[in-house]
Amino acid sequence: MVALITGATSGIGKASADIFAKNGWDLILTGRRKDRLDAIASDLQKKYKIKPLTLNFDVRNLKNVVKNIDSIKGEWRNIDLLLNNAGLASGLSTIQEGNIDDWEVMIDTNIKGLLYMTRHIAPLLIAKNKGHIINIASLAGKQVYPNGNVYCATKFAVDALSKAMRIDMVQHGIRVTNIAPGMVETEFSLVRFHGDAERAQKTYANIKPLSAEDIAETIYWAASRPAHVNISDVVITATAQANAYVVHRK
Ligand code: NDP
Ligand code: 8X3
């Protein structure tokens, strides 16, 4: 079995690579940071005796997406599962004060990047009449929270695309799963706050947030159900998080 994971250099993608490798899957790992991709591939090789294929590109660049997917040859091309995980929040502010560069990055990565990947991998799954697409959406794609505006909109789009893909893929026997996590402690907040570690840390102050491994286990669980079972949509939060607005901090 072969899984292609976008955004495998950190957080949920990296933890997913580990659990899929542990369970004997072959992996195609993608991300922009080549040094990290290489280090992760070498760790997985040592730990689980698998040698992942690494592809180093930005999902926002359609030309590079196509070039890299076209470069996948032989058995690697026999992809069973696409994990559309690469994504980010950039900034947290009102619409009237929003930074337009932040908006472009989020829209281009979370929506257009996911679409570029899906458009080019789905035909490979369709040719086999089986497969699985797992999209990492968010609780932010179920509820809009203050200052979340554009990030939330991109994740509402992912939620809608998961529903749309399920309709388009059903005739081809391809499963589509939407995973909607609440707060997960990864590099997410550091990226959102443009490297401000102190501010990022405050997101997870006095609660036990979800870990990347918690989400990876859920992803793997969805992927390892029998072929006739499709896990459509999973909302998963820390016990301390009731919804997008209510977080109980000790
Ligand atoms: P991280 O910042 O730890 O990981 C994000 C990953 O996405 C990195 O591997 C990064 O790789 C990759 N990525 C970002 N932009 C691009 C790009 N343009 N091209 C290719 N890869 C890219 O955050 P998480 O693991 O938390 O985030 C993973 C997904 O989970 C995202 O879609 C996020 O929106 C979603 N999510 C996160 C939650 C959280 O609270 N953490 C909750 C709900 C959903 P690189 O920089 O090397 O390219
Ligand atoms: C990330 C979850 O609530 O921090 O998608 O936006 S949240």
Side-chain angles (χ1 to χ4, degrees), residues 7-13 31-33 57-60 85-88 109 136-139 151 155 181-184 186-188 191 204:
T9 57
S10 167
I12 295 168
R32 289 167 302 177
R33 287 168 289 183
F57 64 93
D58 188 322
V59 295
R60 292 172 295 176
N85 164 75
L88 78 167
T109 311
I136 305 302
S138 174
L139 183 60
Y151 177 67
K155 291 300 184 176
M183 291 193 304
V184 188
T186 60
E187 292 176 12
F188 176 85
V191 171
Y204 312 109

PDB file of all heavy atoms in Angstrom, residues 7-13 31-33 57-60 85-88 109 136-139 151 155 181-184 186-188 191 204, ligand 1:
ATOM      1  N   GLY A   7       2.773  17.901   3.305  1.00  0.00           N
ATOM      2  CA  GLY A   7       3.097  18.537   4.593  1.00  0.00           C
ATOM      3  C   GLY A   7       3.614  17.536   5.602  1.00  0.00           C
ATOM      4  O   GLY A   7       3.206  17.533   6.762  1.00  0.00           O
ATOM      5  N   ALA A   8       4.558  16.703   5.158  1.00  0.00           N
ATOM      6  CA  ALA A   8       5.079  15.638   6.030  1.00  0.00           C
ATOM      7  C   ALA A   8       6.288  16.083   6.845  1.00  0.00           C
ATOM      8  O   ALA A   8       6.855  15.297   7.583  1.00  0.00           O
ATOM      9  CB  ALA A   8       5.439  14.415   5.186  1.00  0.00           C
ATOM     10  N   THR A   9       6.663  17.375   6.732  1.00  0.00           N
ATOM     11  CA  THR A   9       7.881  17.824   7.424  1.00  0.00           C
ATOM     12  C   THR A   9       7.629  18.199   8.881  1.00  0.00           C
ATOM     13  O   THR A   9       8.572  18.506   9.604  1.00  0.00           O
ATOM     14  CB  THR A   9       8.486  19.055   6.712  1.00  0.00           C
ATOM     15  OG1 THR A   9       7.486  20.084   6.674  1.00  0.00           O
ATOM     16  CG2 THR A   9       8.960  18.733   5.308  1.00  0.00           C
ATOM     17  N   SER A  10       6.370  18.183   9.308  1.00  0.00           N
ATOM     18  CA  SER A  10       6.074  18.689  10.647  1.00  0.00           C
ATOM     19  C   SER A  10       4.697  18.198  11.094  1.00  0.00           C
ATOM     20  O   SER A  10       3.889  17.738  10.275  1.00  0.00           O
ATOM     21  CB  SER A  10       6.094  20.230  10.570  1.00  0.00           C
ATOM     22  OG  SER A  10       5.542  20.803  11.717  1.00  0.00           O
ATOM     23  N   GLY A  11       4.449  18.299  12.393  1.00  0.00           N
ATOM     24  CA  GLY A  11       3.104  18.147  12.953  1.00  0.00           C
ATOM     25  C   GLY A  11       2.337  16.907  12.521  1.00  0.00           C
ATOM     26  O   GLY A  11       2.838  15.781  12.583  1.00  0.00           O
ATOM     27  N   ILE A  12       1.105  17.130  12.093  1.00  0.00           N
ATOM     28  CA  ILE A  12       0.182  16.038  11.777  1.00  0.00           C
ATOM     29  C   ILE A  12       0.706  15.177  10.618  1.00  0.00           C
ATOM     30  O   ILE A  12       0.599  13.946  10.648  1.00  0.00           O
ATOM     31  CB  ILE A  12      -1.228  16.616  11.443  1.00  0.00           C
ATOM     32  CG1 ILE A  12      -1.812  17.303  12.695  1.00  0.00           C
ATOM     33  CG2 ILE A  12      -2.165  15.544  10.915  1.00  0.00           C
ATOM     34  CD1 ILE A  12      -3.058  18.158  12.432  1.00  0.00           C
ATOM     35  N   GLY A  13       1.284  15.812   9.619  1.00  0.00           N
ATOM     36  CA  GLY A  13       1.808  15.061   8.468  1.00  0.00           C
ATOM     37  C   GLY A  13       2.956  14.157   8.863  1.00  0.00           C
ATOM     38  O   GLY A  13       3.027  12.997   8.442  1.00  0.00           O
ATOM     39  N   GLY A  31       6.850  18.177   0.991  1.00  0.00           N
ATOM     40  CA  GLY A  31       6.947  19.394   1.797  1.00  0.00           C
ATOM     41  C   GLY A  31       7.993  20.301   1.168  1.00  0.00           C
ATOM     42  O   GLY A  31       8.706  19.890   0.252  1.00  0.00           O
ATOM     43  N   ARG A  32       8.080  21.530   1.686  1.00  0.00           N
ATOM     44  CA  ARG A  32       9.052  22.469   1.102  1.00  0.00           C
ATOM     45  C   ARG A  32      10.439  22.340   1.705  1.00  0.00           C
ATOM     46  O   ARG A  32      11.427  22.613   1.050  1.00  0.00           O
ATOM     47  CB  ARG A  32       8.564  23.918   1.285  1.00  0.00           C
ATOM     48  CG  ARG A  32       7.376  24.279   0.429  1.00  0.00           C
ATOM     49  CD  ARG A  32       6.769  25.585   0.888  1.00  0.00           C
ATOM     50  NE  ARG A  32       6.358  25.501   2.292  1.00  0.00           N
ATOM     51  CZ  ARG A  32       5.847  26.497   2.991  1.00  0.00           C
ATOM     52  NH1 ARG A  32       5.692  27.672   2.439  1.00  0.00           N
ATOM     53  NH2 ARG A  32       5.492  26.322   4.252  1.00  0.00           N
ATOM     54  N   ARG A  33      10.511  21.931   2.995  1.00  0.00           N
ATOM     55  CA  ARG A  33      11.820  21.923   3.667  1.00  0.00           C
ATOM     56  C   ARG A  33      12.547  20.603   3.428  1.00  0.00           C
ATOM     57  O   ARG A  33      12.293  19.601   4.085  1.00  0.00           O
ATOM     58  CB  ARG A  33      11.627  22.205   5.161  1.00  0.00           C
ATOM     59  CG  ARG A  33      11.269  23.666   5.418  1.00  0.00           C
ATOM     60  CD  ARG A  33      10.803  23.919   6.814  1.00  0.00           C
ATOM     61  NE  ARG A  33       9.485  23.371   7.093  1.00  0.00           N
ATOM     62  CZ  ARG A  33       8.836  23.511   8.246  1.00  0.00           C
ATOM     63  NH1 ARG A  33       9.394  24.163   9.234  1.00  0.00           N
ATOM     64  NH2 ARG A  33       7.634  22.994   8.411  1.00  0.00           N
ATOM     65  N   PHE A  57       8.465  20.149  -2.880  1.00  0.00           N
ATOM     66  CA  PHE A  57       7.830  21.218  -3.664  1.00  0.00           C
ATOM     67  C   PHE A  57       6.779  21.961  -2.844  1.00  0.00           C
ATOM     68  O   PHE A  57       6.347  21.502  -1.796  1.00  0.00           O
ATOM     69  CB  PHE A  57       7.200  20.657  -4.957  1.00  0.00           C
ATOM     70  CG  PHE A  57       6.071  19.686  -4.709  1.00  0.00           C
ATOM     71  CD1 PHE A  57       4.748  20.122  -4.674  1.00  0.00           C
ATOM     72  CD2 PHE A  57       6.327  18.347  -4.496  1.00  0.00           C
ATOM     73  CE1 PHE A  57       3.700  19.227  -4.446  1.00  0.00           C
ATOM     74  CE2 PHE A  57       5.277  17.440  -4.258  1.00  0.00           C
ATOM     75  CZ  PHE A  57       3.977  17.887  -4.237  1.00  0.00           C
ATOM     76  N   ASP A  58       6.388  23.103  -3.396  1.00  0.00           N
ATOM     77  CA  ASP A  58       5.377  23.961  -2.777  1.00  0.00           C
ATOM     78  C   ASP A  58       4.032  23.633  -3.441  1.00  0.00           C
ATOM     79  O   ASP A  58       3.919  23.727  -4.671  1.00  0.00           O
ATOM     80  CB  ASP A  58       5.788  25.428  -3.039  1.00  0.00           C
ATOM     81  CG  ASP A  58       4.924  26.425  -2.292  1.00  0.00           C
ATOM     82  OD1 ASP A  58       3.710  26.201  -2.170  1.00  0.00           O
ATOM     83  OD2 ASP A  58       5.484  27.442  -1.859  1.00  0.00           O
ATOM     84  N   VAL A  59       3.025  23.271  -2.644  1.00  0.00           N
ATOM     85  CA  VAL A  59       1.734  22.882  -3.246  1.00  0.00           C
ATOM     86  C   VAL A  59       1.042  24.057  -3.954  1.00  0.00           C
ATOM     87  O   VAL A  59       0.092  23.851  -4.705  1.00  0.00           O
ATOM     88  CB  VAL A  59       0.751  22.247  -2.220  1.00  0.00           C
ATOM     89  CG1 VAL A  59       1.254  20.927  -1.688  1.00  0.00           C
ATOM     90  CG2 VAL A  59       0.411  23.214  -1.084  1.00  0.00           C
ATOM     91  N   ARG A  60       1.518  25.287  -3.712  1.00  0.00           N
ATOM     92  CA  ARG A  60       0.896  26.449  -4.375  1.00  0.00           C
ATOM     93  C   ARG A  60       1.341  26.602  -5.817  1.00  0.00           C
ATOM     94  O   ARG A  60       0.742  27.373  -6.575  1.00  0.00           O
ATOM     95  CB  ARG A  60       1.267  27.739  -3.625  1.00  0.00           C
ATOM     96  CG  ARG A  60       0.642  27.830  -2.263  1.00  0.00           C
ATOM     97  CD  ARG A  60       1.192  29.021  -1.506  1.00  0.00           C
ATOM     98  NE  ARG A  60       2.612  28.862  -1.234  1.00  0.00           N
ATOM     99  CZ  ARG A  60       3.374  29.791  -0.645  1.00  0.00           C
ATOM    100  NH1 ARG A  60       2.842  30.948  -0.307  1.00  0.00           N
ATOM    101  NH2 ARG A  60       4.648  29.573  -0.408  1.00  0.00           N
ATOM    102  N   ASN A  85      -2.828  17.205   3.666  1.00  0.00           N
ATOM    103  CA  ASN A  85      -2.608  17.742   5.003  1.00  0.00           C
ATOM    104  C   ASN A  85      -1.942  19.119   4.990  1.00  0.00           C
ATOM    105  O   ASN A  85      -2.187  19.933   5.871  1.00  0.00           O
ATOM    106  CB  ASN A  85      -1.743  16.730   5.783  1.00  0.00           C
ATOM    107  CG  ASN A  85      -1.132  17.330   7.018  1.00  0.00           C
ATOM    108  OD1 ASN A  85      -1.817  17.542   8.025  1.00  0.00           O
ATOM    109  ND2 ASN A  85       0.163  17.642   6.964  1.00  0.00           N
ATOM    110  N   ALA A  86      -1.106  19.388   3.976  1.00  0.00           N
ATOM    111  CA  ALA A  86      -0.345  20.652   3.957  1.00  0.00           C
ATOM    112  C   ALA A  86      -1.310  21.827   4.089  1.00  0.00           C
ATOM    113  O   ALA A  86      -2.321  21.897   3.382  1.00  0.00           O
ATOM    114  CB  ALA A  86       0.440  20.770   2.654  1.00  0.00           C
ATOM    115  N   GLY A  87      -1.002  22.725   5.007  1.00  0.00           N
ATOM    116  CA  GLY A  87      -1.875  23.874   5.199  1.00  0.00           C
ATOM    117  C   GLY A  87      -1.388  24.716   6.340  1.00  0.00           C
ATOM    118  O   GLY A  87      -0.451  24.348   7.051  1.00  0.00           O
ATOM    119  N   LEU A  88      -2.035  25.855   6.492  1.00  0.00           N
ATOM    120  CA  LEU A  88      -1.595  26.772   7.544  1.00  0.00           C
ATOM    121  C   LEU A  88      -2.637  27.851   7.805  1.00  0.00           C
ATOM    122  O   LEU A  88      -3.508  28.104   6.980  1.00  0.00           O
ATOM    123  CB  LEU A  88      -0.275  27.449   7.145  1.00  0.00           C
ATOM    124  CG  LEU A  88      -0.344  28.617   6.136  1.00  0.00           C
ATOM    125  CD1 LEU A  88       0.983  29.336   6.110  1.00  0.00           C
ATOM    126  CD2 LEU A  88      -0.758  28.183   4.751  1.00  0.00           C
ATOM    127  N   THR A 109      -2.668  27.937  -0.443  1.00  0.00           N
ATOM    128  CA  THR A 109      -2.199  26.660   0.106  1.00  0.00           C
ATOM    129  C   THR A 109      -3.384  25.743   0.447  1.00  0.00           C
ATOM    130  O   THR A 109      -3.471  24.604  -0.034  1.00  0.00           O
ATOM    131  CB  THR A 109      -1.378  26.898   1.402  1.00  0.00           C
ATOM    132  OG1 THR A 109      -0.397  27.903   1.177  1.00  0.00           O
ATOM    133  CG2 THR A 109      -0.705  25.609   1.863  1.00  0.00           C
ATOM    134  N   ILE A 136      -7.461  17.083   5.504  1.00  0.00           N
ATOM    135  CA  ILE A 136      -7.401  17.672   6.839  1.00  0.00           C
ATOM    136  C   ILE A 136      -8.052  19.051   6.781  1.00  0.00           C
ATOM    137  O   ILE A 136      -7.484  20.003   6.246  1.00  0.00           O
ATOM    138  CB  ILE A 136      -5.957  17.759   7.382  1.00  0.00           C
ATOM    139  CG1 ILE A 136      -5.292  16.379   7.344  1.00  0.00           C
ATOM    140  CG2 ILE A 136      -5.969  18.298   8.817  1.00  0.00           C
ATOM    141  CD1 ILE A 136      -6.006  15.276   8.116  1.00  0.00           C
ATOM    142  N   ALA A 137      -9.258  19.095   7.294  1.00  0.00           N
ATOM    143  CA  ALA A 137      -9.996  20.368   7.386  1.00  0.00           C
ATOM    144  C   ALA A 137      -9.716  20.938   8.772  1.00  0.00           C
ATOM    145  O   ALA A 137      -8.563  21.023   9.185  1.00  0.00           O
ATOM    146  CB  ALA A 137     -11.466  20.107   7.143  1.00  0.00           C
ATOM    147  N   SER A 138     -10.759  21.271   9.528  1.00  0.00           N
ATOM    148  CA  SER A 138     -10.548  21.831  10.876  1.00  0.00           C
ATOM    149  C   SER A 138     -11.901  22.054  11.538  1.00  0.00           C
ATOM    150  O   SER A 138     -12.923  22.206  10.854  1.00  0.00           O
ATOM    151  CB  SER A 138      -9.826  23.173  10.763  1.00  0.00           C
ATOM    152  OG  SER A 138      -9.738  23.801  12.022  1.00  0.00           O
ATOM    153  N   LEU A 139     -11.857  22.182  12.857  1.00  0.00           N
ATOM    154  CA  LEU A 139     -13.041  22.685  13.577  1.00  0.00           C
ATOM    155  C   LEU A 139     -13.356  24.095  13.055  1.00  0.00           C
ATOM    156  O   LEU A 139     -14.513  24.512  13.011  1.00  0.00           O
ATOM    157  CB  LEU A 139     -12.727  22.718  15.087  1.00  0.00           C
ATOM    158  CG  LEU A 139     -13.852  23.139  16.025  1.00  0.00           C
ATOM    159  CD1 LEU A 139     -15.066  22.208  15.910  1.00  0.00           C
ATOM    160  CD2 LEU A 139     -13.352  23.160  17.467  1.00  0.00           C
ATOM    161  N   TYR A 151      -8.924  32.189   7.394  1.00  0.00           N
ATOM    162  CA  TYR A 151      -8.523  30.796   7.681  1.00  0.00           C
ATOM    163  C   TYR A 151      -9.771  29.912   7.763  1.00  0.00           C
ATOM    164  O   TYR A 151      -9.821  28.839   7.145  1.00  0.00           O
ATOM    165  CB  TYR A 151      -7.708  30.708   8.984  1.00  0.00           C
ATOM    166  CG  TYR A 151      -7.355  29.274   9.337  1.00  0.00           C
ATOM    167  CD1 TYR A 151      -6.479  28.542   8.534  1.00  0.00           C
ATOM    168  CD2 TYR A 151      -7.918  28.633  10.440  1.00  0.00           C
ATOM    169  CE1 TYR A 151      -6.170  27.216   8.822  1.00  0.00           C
ATOM    170  CE2 TYR A 151      -7.615  27.308  10.740  1.00  0.00           C
ATOM    171  CZ  TYR A 151      -6.739  26.602   9.933  1.00  0.00           C
ATOM    172  OH  TYR A 151      -6.436  25.285  10.219  1.00  0.00           O
ATOM    173  N   LYS A 155     -11.039  26.606   5.444  1.00  0.00           N
ATOM    174  CA  LYS A 155     -11.354  25.273   5.982  1.00  0.00           C
ATOM    175  C   LYS A 155     -12.831  24.909   5.742  1.00  0.00           C
ATOM    176  O   LYS A 155     -13.152  23.736   5.571  1.00  0.00           O
ATOM    177  CB  LYS A 155     -10.969  25.195   7.468  1.00  0.00           C
ATOM    178  CG  LYS A 155      -9.444  25.237   7.675  1.00  0.00           C
ATOM    179  CD  LYS A 155      -8.739  24.064   6.971  1.00  0.00           C
ATOM    180  CE  LYS A 155      -7.258  24.010   7.220  1.00  0.00           C
ATOM    181  NZ  LYS A 155      -6.602  22.838   6.622  1.00  0.00           N
ATOM    182  N   PRO A 181      -9.958  18.634  13.126  1.00  0.00           N
ATOM    183  CA  PRO A 181      -9.442  18.741  14.490  1.00  0.00           C
ATOM    184  C   PRO A 181      -9.628  20.144  15.081  1.00  0.00           C
ATOM    185  O   PRO A 181      -9.600  21.143  14.363  1.00  0.00           O
ATOM    186  CB  PRO A 181      -7.931  18.464  14.337  1.00  0.00           C
ATOM    187  CG  PRO A 181      -7.712  18.083  12.894  1.00  0.00           C
ATOM    188  CD  PRO A 181      -8.864  18.648  12.139  1.00  0.00           C
ATOM    189  N   GLY A 182      -9.778  20.170  16.408  1.00  0.00           N
ATOM    190  CA  GLY A 182      -9.674  21.435  17.148  1.00  0.00           C
ATOM    191  C   GLY A 182      -8.197  21.718  17.376  1.00  0.00           C
ATOM    192  O   GLY A 182      -7.361  21.403  16.528  1.00  0.00           O
ATOM    193  N   MET A 183      -7.860  22.267  18.548  1.00  0.00           N
ATOM    194  CA  MET A 183      -6.474  22.702  18.790  1.00  0.00           C
ATOM    195  C   MET A 183      -5.503  21.532  18.926  1.00  0.00           C
ATOM    196  O   MET A 183      -5.661  20.684  19.797  1.00  0.00           O
ATOM    197  CB  MET A 183      -6.422  23.523  20.075  1.00  0.00           C
ATOM    198  CG  MET A 183      -7.112  24.866  19.929  1.00  0.00           C
ATOM    199  SD  MET A 183      -6.736  25.991  21.277  1.00  0.00           S
ATOM    200  CE  MET A 183      -7.220  25.070  22.648  1.00  0.00           C
ATOM    201  N   VAL A 184      -4.513  21.529  18.063  1.00  0.00           N
ATOM    202  CA  VAL A 184      -3.477  20.492  18.073  1.00  0.00           C
ATOM    203  C   VAL A 184      -2.141  21.207  18.253  1.00  0.00           C
ATOM    204  O   VAL A 184      -1.839  22.141  17.488  1.00  0.00           O
ATOM    205  CB  VAL A 184      -3.441  19.715  16.732  1.00  0.00           C
ATOM    206  CG1 VAL A 184      -2.504  18.522  16.834  1.00  0.00           C
ATOM    207  CG2 VAL A 184      -4.835  19.297  16.295  1.00  0.00           C
ATOM    208  N   THR A 186       1.246  21.800  17.430  1.00  0.00           N
ATOM    209  CA  THR A 186       2.245  21.515  16.379  1.00  0.00           C
ATOM    210  C   THR A 186       2.988  22.833  16.130  1.00  0.00           C
ATOM    211  O   THR A 186       3.003  23.684  17.010  1.00  0.00           O
ATOM    212  CB  THR A 186       1.535  21.072  15.075  1.00  0.00           C
ATOM    213  OG1 THR A 186       0.666  22.151  14.672  1.00  0.00           O
ATOM    214  CG2 THR A 186       0.703  19.808  15.264  1.00  0.00           C
ATOM    215  N   GLU A 187       3.494  23.009  14.932  1.00  0.00           N
ATOM    216  CA  GLU A 187       4.097  24.314  14.600  1.00  0.00           C
ATOM    217  C   GLU A 187       3.039  25.298  14.086  1.00  0.00           C
ATOM    218  O   GLU A 187       3.356  26.412  13.664  1.00  0.00           O
ATOM    219  CB  GLU A 187       5.208  24.118  13.563  1.00  0.00           C
ATOM    220  CG  GLU A 187       6.382  23.364  14.139  1.00  0.00           C
ATOM    221  CD  GLU A 187       7.475  23.062  13.125  1.00  0.00           C
ATOM    222  OE1 GLU A 187       7.452  23.629  12.013  1.00  0.00           O
ATOM    223  OE2 GLU A 187       8.344  22.241  13.444  1.00  0.00           O
ATOM    224  N   PHE A 188       1.781  24.850  14.107  1.00  0.00           N
ATOM    225  CA  PHE A 188       0.669  25.627  13.546  1.00  0.00           C
ATOM    226  C   PHE A 188       0.621  27.062  14.078  1.00  0.00           C
ATOM    227  O   PHE A 188       0.549  28.025  13.307  1.00  0.00           O
ATOM    228  CB  PHE A 188      -0.640  24.883  13.853  1.00  0.00           C
ATOM    229  CG  PHE A 188      -1.886  25.582  13.421  1.00  0.00           C
ATOM    230  CD1 PHE A 188      -2.362  25.458  12.122  1.00  0.00           C
ATOM    231  CD2 PHE A 188      -2.601  26.379  14.309  1.00  0.00           C
ATOM    232  CE1 PHE A 188      -3.528  26.104  11.721  1.00  0.00           C
ATOM    233  CE2 PHE A 188      -3.756  27.036  13.914  1.00  0.00           C
ATOM    234  CZ  PHE A 188      -4.217  26.887  12.628  1.00  0.00           C
ATOM    235  N   VAL A 191       3.564  29.266  13.149  1.00  0.00           N
ATOM    236  CA  VAL A 191       3.413  29.740  11.761  1.00  0.00           C
ATOM    237  C   VAL A 191       2.348  30.843  11.710  1.00  0.00           C
ATOM    238  O   VAL A 191       2.555  31.897  11.105  1.00  0.00           O
ATOM    239  CB  VAL A 191       3.046  28.560  10.826  1.00  0.00           C
ATOM    240  CG1 VAL A 191       2.672  29.044   9.435  1.00  0.00           C
ATOM    241  CG2 VAL A 191       4.206  27.562  10.756  1.00  0.00           C
ATOM    242  N   TYR A 204      -1.853  27.304  23.825  1.00  0.00           N
ATOM    243  CA  TYR A 204      -1.993  26.002  24.486  1.00  0.00           C
ATOM    244  C   TYR A 204      -1.784  26.112  26.000  1.00  0.00           C
ATOM    245  O   TYR A 204      -1.584  25.106  26.676  1.00  0.00           O
ATOM    246  CB  TYR A 204      -0.997  25.000  23.880  1.00  0.00           C
ATOM    247  CG  TYR A 204      -1.021  25.019  22.358  1.00  0.00           C
ATOM    248  CD1 TYR A 204       0.036  25.541  21.616  1.00  0.00           C
ATOM    249  CD2 TYR A 204      -2.145  24.556  21.673  1.00  0.00           C
ATOM    250  CE1 TYR A 204      -0.001  25.585  20.236  1.00  0.00           C
ATOM    251  CE2 TYR A 204      -2.195  24.605  20.288  1.00  0.00           C
ATOM    252  CZ  TYR A 204      -1.119  25.121  19.574  1.00  0.00           C
ATOM    253  OH  TYR A 204      -1.173  25.170  18.206  1.00  0.00           O
TER     254      TYR A 204
HETATM  255  P1  NDP B   1       2.496  22.369  10.994  1.00  0.00           P
HETATM  256  O1  NDP B   1       2.843  23.795  10.760  1.00  0.00           O
HETATM  257  O2  NDP B   1       3.233  21.638  12.059  1.00  0.00           O
HETATM  258  O3  NDP B   1       2.634  21.554   9.623  1.00  0.00           O
HETATM  259  C1  NDP B   1       2.184  22.096   8.402  1.00  0.00           C
HETATM  260  C2  NDP B   1       2.764  21.296   7.242  1.00  0.00           C
HETATM  261  O4  NDP B   1       2.255  21.849   6.027  1.00  0.00           O
HETATM  262  C3  NDP B   1       4.269  21.369   7.183  1.00  0.00           C
HETATM  263  O5  NDP B   1       4.789  20.080   6.892  1.00  0.00           O
HETATM  264  C4  NDP B   1       4.557  22.308   6.024  1.00  0.00           C
HETATM  265  O6  NDP B   1       5.737  21.914   5.360  1.00  0.00           O
HETATM  266  C5  NDP B   1       3.341  22.044   5.119  1.00  0.00           C
HETATM  267  N1  NDP B   1       3.083  23.175   4.246  1.00  0.00           N
HETATM  268  C6  NDP B   1       2.648  24.407   4.576  1.00  0.00           C
HETATM  269  N2  NDP B   1       2.583  25.186   3.486  1.00  0.00           N
HETATM  270  C7  NDP B   1       2.994  24.425   2.438  1.00  0.00           C
HETATM  271  C8  NDP B   1       3.158  24.666   1.052  1.00  0.00           C
HETATM  272  N3  NDP B   1       2.882  25.858   0.508  1.00  0.00           N
HETATM  273  N4  NDP B   1       3.596  23.657   0.271  1.00  0.00           N
HETATM  274  C9  NDP B   1       3.881  22.438   0.804  1.00  0.00           C
HETATM  275  N5  NDP B   1       3.731  22.147   2.093  1.00  0.00           N
HETATM  276  C10 NDP B   1       3.313  23.128   2.907  1.00  0.00           C
HETATM  277  O7  NDP B   1       0.930  22.353  11.290  1.00  0.00           O
HETATM  278  P2  NDP B   1      -0.116  21.145  11.497  1.00  0.00           P
HETATM  279  O8  NDP B   1       0.531  19.833  11.442  1.00  0.00           O
HETATM  280  O9  NDP B   1      -0.917  21.509  12.683  1.00  0.00           O
HETATM  281  O10 NDP B   1      -1.040  21.386  10.217  1.00  0.00           O
HETATM  282  C11 NDP B   1      -1.386  20.369   9.309  1.00  0.00           C
HETATM  283  C12 NDP B   1      -2.805  20.622   8.812  1.00  0.00           C
HETATM  284  O11 NDP B   1      -3.700  20.512   9.918  1.00  0.00           O
HETATM  285  C13 NDP B   1      -3.044  22.009   8.212  1.00  0.00           C
HETATM  286  O12 NDP B   1      -3.864  21.873   7.073  1.00  0.00           O
HETATM  287  C14 NDP B   1      -3.795  22.747   9.324  1.00  0.00           C
HETATM  288  O13 NDP B   1      -4.607  23.773   8.822  1.00  0.00           O
HETATM  289  C15 NDP B   1      -4.597  21.601   9.906  1.00  0.00           C
HETATM  290  N6  NDP B   1      -5.121  21.792  11.241  1.00  0.00           N
HETATM  291  C16 NDP B   1      -4.261  22.077  12.282  1.00  0.00           C
HETATM  292  C17 NDP B   1      -4.772  22.246  13.558  1.00  0.00           C
HETATM  293  C18 NDP B   1      -3.921  22.647  14.711  1.00  0.00           C
HETATM  294  O14 NDP B   1      -4.463  23.151  15.722  1.00  0.00           O
HETATM  295  N7  NDP B   1      -2.615  22.430  14.671  1.00  0.00           N
HETATM  296  C19 NDP B   1      -6.192  22.029  13.826  1.00  0.00           C
HETATM  297  C20 NDP B   1      -6.987  21.742  12.667  1.00  0.00           C
HETATM  298  C21 NDP B   1      -6.458  21.602  11.429  1.00  0.00           C
HETATM  299  P3  NDP B   1       6.858  22.890   4.783  1.00  0.00           P
HETATM  300  O15 NDP B   1       6.806  24.146   5.588  1.00  0.00           O
HETATM  301  O16 NDP B   1       8.135  22.133   4.949  1.00  0.00           O
HETATM  302  O17 NDP B   1       6.474  23.055   3.362  1.00  0.00           O
END
